[in-house]
Every structure is written in structure tokens, then in C-alpha cells.
Amino acid sequence: MLIRLIWSALLETLLMVGAAGAVSIVLGVLVGAGLVFFSDPALGRNWPVNRYLRLDQVLSAIVNVGRSLPFLVLMVAIIPFTRMIAGTSIGTKAAIVPLTLGAIPFAARVVENSLREVDRGVVEAALVMGASPGQVVFKVMFPEALPSLVLGFTLTLVSLVNFSAMAGAVGGGGLGDLAIRYGYQRFRTDVMAATVAVLIVLVQLMQWGGQALSSTVDRRR
Amino acid sequence: MITFDNVTKKYKGMSVPALDRVSFTVDAGAICGVVGLSGAGKSTLIRCMTGLERVDSGTISIGGVSISALTGAELRQAQRNLGVVFQHFNLLSQRTALQNVMFPLEVAGVARNEARDRARELLDIVGLGDKLNSYPSKLSGGQQQRVGIARALATSPKVLLCDEFTSALDPINSKSILELIMRLNADLGVTVLIVTHQLSIAEQSCDRLIVIDEGQIVENGPAKDVLESPKSRILRAMVTTLTWS
Ligand SMILES: Nc1ncnc2c1ncn2[C@@H]1O[C@H](COP(=O)(O)OP(=O)(O)OP(=O)(O)O)[C@@H](O)[C@H]1O
Ligand SMILES: [Mg+2]
């Protein structure tokens, strides 16, 4: 019984984290690349549009808005939007919408930071070899930043586990929901303890996996 | 092959120009040295040639193409006539030696097989035929610089630019890298511009020598003559206090 409860809650958590993680990482890559591309004079800073409207600053401002809302506030504030997308505002599927929206700006900053860490000398070397700005981003910056990106995405996914538990507490399902409904409201200490244990193990595994993957793809050592 | 015509470059926020009305020419096939103290403008000279910095006035032409006037795709096309060797090698750390040498060919749209063959051939020429699949982190500084040289030659440039290319290497490796450059100059006929603060490098390898001080050319002539009877304050100081090492 306990095992069944935990198992299905775990699956819900994994679904929320997986779906929100996948979408936010893809969009985070695009936004993060845009932030770097449009702010760098050697890349897209001098694009004609940027003369009238600094795209990097616009993107950055939008990202900051997303980052400044506490997740709980974001989740409640976008309920109409969630309904529009998911057809409902409660349940695991509905929770994926605010989770994704909350994680995109996070992932975007993660990507931006990783790309900015790439050695300037290497970027300039690529430029003088006749690489176009787009080639610099995709053939130089992303591959060079890969180990750091993997760690950053791990960080994003771990934060999503945290957020998903919060989403669970307000009807999203998953481990957070289980802990509140059984462990807290029904005084089931065993459920509470088991949930906490599963969450701890889950995060440890994710972190361990992320670090292992990052060092496998790292050619610098 | 290289022509600077009255080139001036001033960085934003600097009161004096980094290059001040610089004019000189380097003949095809020559090795030309550029020496000067730290901050003299040597790297700026190279950065302007490669299009990394825009000049404020004057023109720089390479093989008859005035590269300082080009932008975008035209500039990228012209950059393929230039090979650049860097002080800190600037290899792509996530690519093997072979893949590093293939990079300039890839961005130029050369077919993969052809690029791979060419890269192999070049790594052979620089003496790294047995390190094709090594990552830079597994190569010594001297080996990394050889990869850098092979990469610079990938697109068969007419001009090779070397900024302090031996400063990160020990004297033995410096010497053998310099000899490699001289051999490439003799075999391929590539025109070489060497920026250095080591007079010994200039003495060993250069046909011509340019001395710059505070953005201005203060001496320019056959290397032997310039070194034998230094006229400028700066070169005299360099010869006596000695940056020969
Ligand atoms: N990006 C920059 N912005 C502003 N000033 C710069 C910039 N790069 C170089 N300078 C200035 O231009 C002058 C020439 O610098 P440059 O790097 O060309 O000197 P250098 O001869 O290569 O010196 P070194 O031997 O130390 O490498 C210096 O006064 C330097 O401070
Ligand atoms: Mg310099």
C-alpha cells in the first residue's frame, strides 16, 4: 500500500520534472544563446534591429521578470493561462505548465553563464578563421561549454524537483502532494518519512548522474 | 603581400592611439618581425589585420584585398587568406587535434572527407602524425602550438600571423617551433609576420624588422641592419638591457 502510493507519486513527479525539464531546457538554450549572441559585439550586438531595440536587454528583462516571481505566486498568477493550455488547472499535467514557465528563465541564465565562460581567445580564434557568428555559437561555444551545460541542466532539474513538490501541494500530484495529504493532514508519519527518503535519494541520483555525465563529456582533463 | 597605408587605430577611452599613422609593406615570401615594448601596439596591429578590430583610418591590404574595408561574409572570405597562430594556442578543448585542424575547413564549407585528409596531411607536416586523436589537454605546449600552426595553415593562407607564438613555451620548444615556421615559409612560400619581444627570434628568422613604439613605427628595414645599428631609443634600450633570451 505504502509502496504503491509512493511509486505512483514518484512517477507523477518524474513526469512533471521530465516534461517541464525537457521543454524548459530546449527553450532555455534558445533564450540563453540569444542573450549571449545579441549582447556580444563580435556576434550579433550590431545587428540592424539591435540598433533600435536591444534584443539582449529585452530578453534579459523578460527573464528577470520570470526569475523575480516566487514559484507559488507564478503558479497562481497564470492559472487562466494554465487552463488554456492544459484544459484544467489542477493535476499533474496542469502543473507542468507553471513548472515549465518557471524553469525557462532559470535554464536561460544557466545557458548564458555557461556560454560566457567559454575562453574568449578560442572564440576570437574561430572568428579570425572565418567562422560566422552563428557558427561561433553552435560550433564553438556550445561544444566548448558542454560539461558546464550538463551541470547547469542538472541544477535546473533538481530545482524542478523542488518546485514540483510545491506544485504538488496545491493539487499537482507527485511526492509533494503525497507528503501534504497523507503525511501532514492524516498524520501518517510513515508516508512522510518515506517521501522525504525518496526525495533525498532522487536528488542524490540526479546530481550523481549529472556529474558523471559532465565528466564523461569533458575533454579538458 | 601585406600593405599598411597610414593606419590609425584608437581604442575607446584611450587618449592616445594604439596605432598612429602606420605604413609599411611586406613582400610576398618574406618573414617580417615586429618588435616593441609591452603596450606598443603589436597585438593591435595583428588584430586590425585579422578584422577583429576596425581601423579608424587608413587601409590594410593583404594580397591586394583591402581587408580593413570588408565586413560580414566578404571579411570571412578574406580571412581564409590569413592564418593566425596565437600565444595561448586557443585550441578547441573539446575537439581532437585532427578535429581542430578540420575546423577552419568545416566553416569554409569543405566536404568532411576532404577536410579530414587535408588535416591529416598538415598534422604530418608539423610532426604530429601520431597524435591525430589526442585532445589538447593531453598534448604538451609545444605540441599544442604545432596543432595551432597546422590549423592556421588549413585553408592554405598566403599570410601567417604569429603573435608572441613562443612566449608560452620553453626555449627548446620555442626554437623548434620557430624552425618549423621557417621551414613552412621556405617550403610553402607563405609570408610570415612574427610579433615578438624576443630579439633572438627576430635575429634568427626575420628578413625584415619593424620596431614600434607607442603606436608608431620607429624603425623598418632589413633585420640584420636594424639589429646591427639600432637607431631608435627603444631598440637601443632593448638591445642593451636585453630581451635576447
Ligand atoms: N581592447 C582594448 N581596449 C582599450 N585599450 C586597449 C585594448 N587593447 C589594447 N589596448 C591598449 O592599446 C595599447 C596597445 O596594446 P597592444 O595590446 O596592441 O600592445 P602590445 O604591443 O601587443 O603589448 P604586449 O607586448 O604586452 O602584448 C595599449 O596601451 C593597450 O592598453
Ligand atoms: Mg600583445
Side-chain angles (χ1 to χ4, degrees):
Chain A
M1 178 57 194
L2 177 65
I3 303 260
R4 286 258 301 278
L5 273 179
I6 297 267
W7 179 247
S8 71
L10 175 63
L11 288 184
E12 283 170 1
T13 292
L14 290 179
L15 175 68
M16 287 190 280
V17 171
V23 177
S24 60
I25 285 174
V26 169
L27 293 179
V29 161
L30 293 177
V31 176
L35 284 167
V36 172
F37 184 85
F38 289 112
S39 66
D40 191 330
L43 304 176
R45 168 76 178 80
N46 297 319
W47 266 30
V49 273
N50 244 11
R51 245 169 264 158
Y52 307 103
L53 180 70
R54 285 288 297 272
L55 289 178
D56 54 318
Q57 290 175 357
V58 172
L59 278 177
S60 181
I62 296 172
V63 165
N64 284 344
V65 169
R67 297 274 290 124
S68 56
L69 296 185
F71 180 66
L72 216 54
V73 175
L74 172 84
M75 197 165 48
V76 177
I78 64 156
I79 283 178
F81 177 72
T82 305
R83 271 210 196 96
M84 213 172 75
I85 303 265
T88 167
S89 65
I90 41 178
T92 304
K93 282 200 190 111
I96 292 173
V97 177
L99 282 174
T100 307
L101 224 58
I104 292 170
F106 188 90
R109 288 293 183 210
V110 158
V111 171
E112 182 194 12
N113 288 344
S114 292
L115 296 184
R116 286 198 196 286
E117 276 166 24
V118 172
D119 184 358
R120 194 67 199 166
V122 173
V123 168
E124 289 189 344
L127 284 167
V128 306
M129 286 186 279
S132 67
Q135 286 172 325
V136 168
V137 173
F138 291 106
K139 289 181 86 84
V140 177
M141 291 181 136
F142 272 105
E144 287 292 293
L146 191 59
S148 144
L149 283 168
V150 169
L151 288 181
F153 293 149
T154 307
L155 187 67
T156 309
L157 293 175
V158 168
S159 310
L160 270 171
V161 172
N162 180 353
F163 290 149
S164 79
M166 237 188 282
V170 289
L175 291 163
D177 179 45
L178 186 70
I180 298 277
R181 275 194 295 125
Y182 283 76
Y184 181 67
Q185 287 164 358
R186 299 186 199 169
F187 306 105
R188 286 281 301 271
T189 315
D190 57 334
V191 177
M192 186 61 106
T195 312
V196 169
V198 169
L199 280 170
I200 290 174
V201 171
L202 178 63
V203 169
Q204 298 286 356
L205 282 178
M206 287 169 67
Q207 192 60 38
W208 174 82
Q211 274 166 355
L213 184 62
S214 171
S215 45
T216 323
V217 299
D218 193 347
R219 310 297 185 189
R220 290 168 302 185
R221 288 172 289 162
Chain B
M1 182 53 70
I2 304 172
T3 309
F4 268 64
D5 184 18
N6 221 12
V7 172
T8 296
K9 164 76 191 175
K10 190 162 159 290
Y11 288 106
K12 252 194 231 116
M14 296 275 296
S15 50
V16 290
L19 292 179
D20 191 2
R21 290 160 294 165
V22 169
S23 299
F24 66 90
T25 59
V26 180
D27 296 335
I31 300 185
C32 175
V34 177
V35 298
L37 299 180
S38 207
K42 307 181 296 295
S43 295
T44 303
L45 188 114
I46 294 230
R47 291 173 68 81
C48 289
M49 288 179 78
T50 58
L52 276 180
E53 299 286 351
R54 313 295 307 169
V55 303
D56 296 329
S57 61
T59 51
I60 302 173
S61 50
I62 290 168
V65 178
S66 61
I67 196 162
S68 56
L70 303 178
T71 54
E74 283 179 330
L75 174 61
R76 293 197 282 278
Q77 192 58 43
Q79 281 168 331
R80 284 165 199 154
N81 280 323
L82 282 177
V84 187
V85 178
F86 303 90
Q87 177 174 1
H88 298 292
F89 325 135
N90 295 345
L91 299 178
L92 293 148
S93 61
Q94 295 283 96
R95 284 178 168 239
T96 62
L98 188 72
Q99 290 167 339
N100 263 287
V101 181
M102 286 169 68
F103 181 84
L105 298 167
E106 266 171 51
V107 300
V110 174
R112 226 163 220 300
N113 284 336
E114 205 179 311
R116 188 175 298 121
D117 291 345
R118 170 96 181 119
R120 272 212 192 95
E121 182 192 330
L122 283 163
L123 283 167
D124 252 343
I125 292 178
V126 301
L128 286 179
D130 57 337
K131 297 280 184 201
L132 301 182
N133 297 316
S134 301
Y135 287 94
S137 59
K138 299 282 186 291
L139 298 173
S140 72
Q143 289 170 331
Q144 288 187 52
Q145 193 58 296
R146 283 168 191 273
V147 176
I149 291 169
R151 180 177 70 173
L153 292 171
T155 53
S156 310
K158 300 191 199 100
V159 173
L160 196 59
L161 305 175
C162 312
D163 190 358
E164 306 276 7
F165 67 123
T166 60
S167 304
L169 302 175
D170 62 64
I172 308 284
N173 267 296
S174 296
K175 186 157 183 290
S176 82
I177 293 282
L178 182 63
E179 282 163 4
L180 172 63
I181 299 268
M182 290 166 70
R183 197 181 87 215
L184 292 166
N185 165 261
D187 293 354
L188 310 175
V190 62
T191 309
V192 181
L193 192 79
I194 292 179
V195 165
T196 180
H197 56 250
Q198 289 170 278
L199 293 178
S200 60
I201 286 190
E203 191 202 25
Q204 271 175 64
S205 63
C206 296
D207 308 312
R208 294 165 48 78
L209 194 60
I210 290 172
V211 182
I212 61 176
D213 181 23
E214 292 176 351
Q216 292 181 330
I217 294 194
V218 291
E219 294 202 54
N220 176 5
K224 224 169 130 264
D225 302 355
V226 171
L227 287 172
E228 256 166 29
S229 51
K231 294 186 179 56
S232 61
R233 179 183 57 84
I234 209 78
L235 186 60
R236 264 191 235 136
M238 283 178 86
V239 169
T240 47
T241 47
L242 236 344
T243 41
W244 284 97
S245 60

